[in-house]
Amino acid sequence: MPSFDIVNEIDIQKLDNAINVAKKEIVNRYDFHGSKTEIDLDKKEMQLKIVTEDQMRMDAIRDIIISRSMKQGVDPKCFDFGKEQYASGNMVRKDVKIKKGIDKETAKTIVKYIKETGMKVQASIMDEQVRVTGKKIDDLQQVIAEVKNKPVELPLQYVNFRSWGGWWKLNVEIFYS
């Protein structure tokens, strides 16, 4: 039976490249000259730690990180920019969580979107992903198109497209382009 998975995966190498390019840009910018600005990517906790002197620089850093990550192919929806915390003195600190995987609430809304289409497919939540199975490959492709049009706050990828009992993997982009 054909199936595919809806996941939220982040390429760590692309993210690391984007953060390194953003650091270089900040060092070379005139408005950051002589400022105490630090950006650290914690790959284990999937968190970005930013410390700078004022709110204006924090907003500029946010814009730089988003633009550089988009150029590297990392969706900016994966960043969870929370509230600023004031560190010692006049420094501003922000811990940016990097969203990886699909949480239960978002998975439930995706399953709800799929059921609203009325197609003969089954969607099930498996850990941090949603598996969709159906009898026809065309139905599965239509589900992908429908889910892409729905407002979801996570960057979604559609992987592991399988057909005929799962023993033959198909690559959607190559096979159906």
Side-chain angles (χ1 to χ4, degrees):
M1 208 160 170
S3 68
F4 70 92
D5 296 331
I6 302 173
V7 297
N8 174 22
E9 296 176 345
I10 305 297
D11 188 356
I12 302 297
Q13 187 61 46
K14 287 182 179 181
L15 179 66
D16 190 33
N17 290 343
I19 299 303
N20 288 335
V21 170
K23 285 181 187 179
K24 288 178 184 177
E25 182 175 337
I26 288 169
V27 167
N28 292 328
R29 280 183 54 157
Y30 179 75
D31 54 344
F32 283 94
H33 187 69
S35 71
K36 298 176 184 175
T37 301
E38 295 179 15
I39 301 174
D40 292 321
L41 175 63
D42 188 0
K43 295 178 187 176
K44 289 183 181 176
E45 294 184 24
M46 294 300 287
Q47 195 169 21
L48 189 61
K49 297 177 182 179
I50 305 169
V51 178
T52 190
E53 293 176 348
D54 56 14
Q55 186 62 39
M56 181 192 74
R57 287 190 175 118
M58 184 64 73
D59 293 338
I61 291 170
R62 180 177 185 263
D63 293 341
I64 292 169
I65 289 173
I66 288 174
S67 68
R68 294 302 164 202
S69 63
M70 287 177 67
K71 287 184 180 179
Q72 289 288 334
V74 177
D75 196 327
K77 290 181 188 177
C78 72
F79 296 114
D80 183 17
F81 290 96
K83 294 184 178 180
E84 289 83 18
Q85 303 165 347
Y86 289 95
S88 62
N90 60 350
M91 302 295 280
V92 178
R93 188 180 94 214
K94 182 181 273 197
D95 294 333
V96 180
K97 291 191 81 168
I98 299 166
K99 301 175 192 173
K100 187 175 181 182
I102 299 175
D103 58 294
K104 293 289 183 189
E105 293 300 318
T106 307
K108 287 179 183 178
T109 58
I110 292 171
V111 170
K112 180 181 154 198
Y113 290 153
I114 292 171
K115 287 185 179 184
E116 286 175 355
T117 62
M119 288 184 272
K120 294 183 179 181
V121 295
Q122 281 79 36
S124 60
I125 301 170
M126 301 175 63
D127 294 330
E128 293 184 341
Q129 66 184 9
V130 176
R131 173 151 301 162
V132 181
T133 58
K135 291 186 178 182
K136 296 181 182 177
I137 294 175
D138 294 338
D139 289 343
L140 295 180
Q141 289 178 329
Q142 192 170 355
V143 166
I144 291 173
E146 291 289 329
V147 172
K148 281 183 180 180
N149 292 331
K150 298 293 182 179
V152 179
E153 63 269 359
L154 292 175
L156 299 177
Q157 294 87 31
Y158 308 92
V159 297
N160 294 338
F161 198 88
R162 298 179 184 175
S163 182
W164 296 290
W167 59 272
W168 188 26
K169 287 187 178 181
L170 297 176
N171 190 339
V172 176
E173 290 81 21
I174 295 172
F175 194 74
Y176 290 102
S177 59

